Amino acid sequence: MRHFPIPAPSTTGDKRDSGCPHVHFVGAGPGDPELLTLRALRLIGAADVVIHDRLVTQEILDLTRSDALLIDVGKTGFGPSWDQGDINDLLIRHGAEARVVRLKSGDPAVFGRLDEEVAALDGAGVAYDVTPGITAASAAVAGLGLSLTQRGRNAGLRIVTGHDAKGFAEQDWRDLARPGAVAAIYMGKRAARFLTGRLMMHGAAADTPVSVVENVSRADERIISSDLIGLADALADVNGPAVLLLGIAPRTGIPAALREAL
């Protein structure tokens, strides 16, 4: 296991380092602890209580203090999950008396239910702050050695979810189906056939490239090249968390060699 030195506390009087009861929402990034920000690393190492998502890797949880209380409040798509109200109650109870890190996979502000948890803390008068993290889309495309925006291809980017609380999520399909459109699709594995059908109904070409990146940034990261019509089949044996990059085809050769060099 890699060991990371915990950065020294800030000397600027920042409330994040005061040691007072507080809830720190911290982005854990996509999984590799080397992608944590210095602030995230410091807060994780100082926390009395860490309330974490299911997708936060063990390597990152190992950065907590040996006496810290770790609480797994993971949610599973279409499976057993913690109730959001119960998570809010945990944050309020522990945040009123301890230094709490609410550790969220990726970035807390991207499909992380941050607003709901912040509202609960506001209502209870519990102090909090937010430390952003690298979201899966950014790390996934970095693994491809490519970018999410490219001059002459797409002047915009959509970040969408494959499903929401009501089921498969509806989107602006006509916009997503435009030639050259790029979208990062989170939680899209079970929605693959739905996504393909909706996009092709609105004019997307069957051979639109899709890159599937499983276990983004982790040692077992896997990149699968697909097209839109074959997306569901390409996802058939994908068991880990994956982001789907619509409109982006992988490069070959360079990214894997670069990762080995690092």
Side-chain angles (χ1 to χ4, degrees):
M1 184 186 81
R2 289 173 291 183
H3 294 276
F4 294 79
I6 303 300
S10 169
T11 58
T12 61
D14 192 325
K15 67 181 180 180
R16 288 182 294 262
D17 301 302
S18 67
C20 298
H22 199 91
V23 174
H24 305 281
F25 291 94
V26 175
D32 184 348
E34 290 189 341
L35 296 180
L36 290 169
T37 65
L38 290 176
R39 183 194 297 172
L41 183 59
R42 181 172 68 246
L43 293 174
I44 291 168
D48 303 311
V49 181
V50 177
I51 300 173
H52 65 90
D53 287 348
R54 178 178 62 89
L55 294 180
V56 175
T57 61
Q58 188 61 48
E59 285 181 290
I60 290 176
L61 295 177
D62 286 343
L63 300 174
T64 58
R65 294 191 339 234
S66 60
D67 61 340
L69 173 63
L70 273 62
I71 305 174
D72 182 349
V73 294
K75 292 179 180 289
T76 304
F78 302 95
S81 297
W82 268 68
D83 180 78
Q84 187 60 52
D86 292 336
I87 296 174
N88 295 347
D89 290 343
L90 275 177
L91 290 171
I92 292 168
R93 176 158 53 90
H94 289 288
E97 58 189 28
R99 291 173 295 179
V100 177
V101 162
R102 175 64 172 106
L103 195 56
K104 293 178 176 284
S105 178
D107 183 277
V110 180
F111 301 125
R113 299 198 179 191
L114 176 66
D115 293 332
E116 298 172 49
E117 296 178 7
V118 162
L121 294 177
D122 273 335
V126 177
Y128 65 87
D129 59 68
V130 181
T131 296
I134 295 176
T135 192
S138 296
V141 81
L144 300 176
L146 297 170
S147 61
L148 290 167
T149 58
Q150 184 184 96
R151 183 168 55 178
R153 181 190 67 194
N154 65 305
L157 167 70
R158 298 284 300 277
I159 297 180
V160 302
T161 179
H163 67 83
D164 56 22
K166 298 179 181 180
F168 295 148
E170 293 289 352
Q171 310 290 345
D172 183 349
W173 301 112
R174 189 172 301 278
D175 185 57
L176 288 172
R178 288 184 299 104
V182 170
I185 304 172
Y186 291 61
M187 297 171 281
K189 289 189 294 183
R190 289 179 179 265
R193 294 192 188 280
F194 171 79
L195 292 165
T196 297
R198 284 290 194 272
L199 286 165
M200 292 183 65
M201 282 172 56
H202 289 81
D207 62 353
T208 299
V210 183
S211 293
V212 177
V213 186
E214 180 186 15
N215 296 321
V216 176
S217 84
R218 306 178 191 188
D220 56 350
E221 177 182 290
R222 183 166 60 131
I223 297 168
I224 302 170
S225 178
S226 180
D227 53 21
L228 186 57
I229 194 66
L231 179 59
D233 291 336
L235 289 165
D237 67 342
V238 172
N239 298 310
V243 61
L244 318 180
L245 300 175
L246 176 70
I248 294 180
R251 295 175 66 186
T252 57
I254 297 176
L258 179 60
R259 284 197 296 275
E260 289 175 6
L262 292 173

